[in-house]
Amino acid sequence: MSKIRRTGAVWVNFICLFLRFRPILPSMKIASFNINGVRARIQQLTDWLEASAPDVVVLQEIKTQDESFPREELEDRGWTVETFGQKGFNGVAILSKLPLEDISRGLPGDDSDEQSRWIEATVIGDRAVRIAGLYLPNGNPAPGPKYDYKLAWMERLAARAAEFLKSEMPVVMLGDYNVIPQPRDAAFPEKWLTDALFLPESRASLRRIEYQGWTEILRLRNLDAASGPFTFWDYQAGAWEKNNGIRIDHLLLSPQAADLVIDAGIDRDQRAAEKPSDHVPVWVDLAA
DNA sequence: ATGGTAGGATACCTA
């Protein structure tokens, strides 16, 4: 084949890619960000939303009641806002550029639980995807009542996760799990041995949920890494500068969601922002 | 072995 014909074929392919394939490949970018106080972090949040351009975001630790959430700043930029706030601590929210249906607040299984740590919605893109944004209890100090609450909360999460799988929908459960799954998910795992984030019961409980049939997509994308990547660096003792991090923000995908994965990642550069959160965003892009 | 930081409450707690 002549050089001219080869060059022509390259261009035809290039044009076909643009005209045919790009428009028919839908994409839904789903992100999670533990914002550590949304009112203190509204600048970083809006800057990141602009730069990363997700379609739907779950937030944790908004640390505000619904009525004090900076709703207008986000609605003015085209976001639909659904909050499940709490005074002072915890609090989760969903921001979406796509329509949301069937929003549900609170993790089922304990009507006496007053902590705002769970919000669900169905996102209507090219397909309907059920998302659950979660802020799993920290559990320290362990042992103690807070650790008991963490483990009990994880049992309720396991029950809800099993229901999701029965639905056979694409489901993404994402957020701050407050669990370091394996030694390689901490820069210095030996420092975490007595911490609720790394105790055997916490890790086993998360593992049991994953073994129901969930795909932990950031693990899958980093199978060869001996250490890291991380999603959290403490504010103290120069943890960021030393890359003394842990990976505790996770995305669990049902089989129907895992089949749609285009890409997944961690917006690590957000930890270097002005007055940053101690967590960075994590995301998955689905053909949905 | 300790303390280092941060947000949002309120005169400390949670992380």
Side-chain angles (χ1 to χ4, degrees):
Chain A
M1 211 194 288
S2 74
K3 187 174 181 187
I4 287 169
R5 287 189 59 180
R6 271 204 314 275
T7 308
V10 166
W11 275 101
V12 167
N13 274 335
F14 188 72
I15 290 160
C16 281
L17 267 169
F18 262 84
L19 293 183
R20 287 225 332 272
F21 298 127
R22 276 206 49 175
I24 64 166
L25 183 64
S27 160
M28 184 192 293
K29 186 172 181 181
I30 304 168
S32 169
F33 195 178
N34 181 322
I35 199 70
N36 188 20
V38 69
R39 286 176 292 169
R41 213 79 62 199
I42 189 66
Q43 190 62 52
Q44 185 187 5
L45 177 59
T46 52
D47 288 351
W48 167 73
L49 288 170
E50 183 82 16
S52 187
D55 296 292
V56 56
V57 180
V58 296
L59 299 176
Q60 302 88 39
E61 287 204 85
I62 62 174
K63 292 188 174 180
T64 174
Q65 296 166 103
D66 294 339
E67 49 270 33
S68 313
F69 191 93
R71 169 179 289 275
E72 289 75 21
E73 287 91 325
L74 295 160
E75 286 178 342
D76 290 348
R77 291 170 169 83
W79 294 95
T80 296
V81 177
E82 294 290 342
T83 60
F84 186 36
Q86 181 179 338
K87 190 178 181 179
F89 312 111
N90 307 327
V92 291
I94 299 179
L95 314 177
S96 184
K97 291 254 166 129
L98 294 167
L100 299 177
E101 291 182 355
D102 301 320
I103 296 137
S104 151
R105 292 165 173 82
L107 179 62
D110 181 1
D111 293 339
S112 70
D113 185 359
E114 293 183 343
Q115 301 193 29
S116 298
R117 298 179 172 277
W118 180 267
I119 187 166
E120 287 180 31
T122 300
V123 188
I124 311 300
D126 188 65
R127 312 180 50 158
V129 178
R130 188 73 176 166
I131 62 161
L134 66 100
Y135 177 47
L136 205 147
N138 176 296
N140 281 304
K146 292 189 176 175
Y147 191 52
D148 295 341
Y149 173 65
K150 176 180 194 146
L151 296 177
W153 201 94
M154 293 186 81
E155 284 304 308
R156 290 159 57 200
L157 173 58
R160 187 75 190 104
E163 286 178 4
F164 278 146
L165 291 186
K166 266 193 253 171
S167 78
E168 300 194 354
M169 267 186 82
V171 182
V172 181
M173 302 193 297
L174 73 167
D176 179 357
Y177 278 75
N178 267 319
V179 177
I180 302 166
Q182 296 181 18
R184 69 211 246 192
D185 298 311
F188 301 99
E190 66 278 9
K191 302 266 197 246
W192 295 91
L193 288 173
T194 60
D195 193 286
L197 276 60
F198 195 55
L199 282 173
E201 297 96 325
S202 302
R203 295 170 56 194
S205 187
L206 179 59
R207 203 161 54 235
R208 276 196 299 276
I209 293 167
E210 292 183 8
Y211 286 175
Q212 291 179 359
W214 296 88
T215 297
E216 206 259 80
I217 193 64
L218 291 175
R219 160 70 69 232
L220 194 62
R221 300 284 297 197
N222 296 282
L223 282 177
D224 297 333
S227 180
F230 307 127
T231 65
F232 169 93
W233 296 260
D234 202 290
Y235 288 121
Q236 301 179 94
W240 167 245
E241 288 73 15
K242 298 173 195 160
N243 195 28
N244 176 10
I246 53 177
R247 196 175 68 92
I248 55 177
D249 299 270
H250 308 302
L251 303 120
L252 268 57
L253 277 59
S254 75
Q256 294 79 5
D259 283 345
L260 302 175
V261 172
I262 299 166
D263 199 3
I266 301 172
D267 289 344
R268 189 179 193 279
D269 62 338
Q270 286 299 312
R271 190 61 178 77
E274 190 92 13
K275 297 265 288 174
S277 171
D278 41 7
H279 294 251
V280 295
V282 297
W283 53 268
V284 64
D285 195 18
L286 300 182

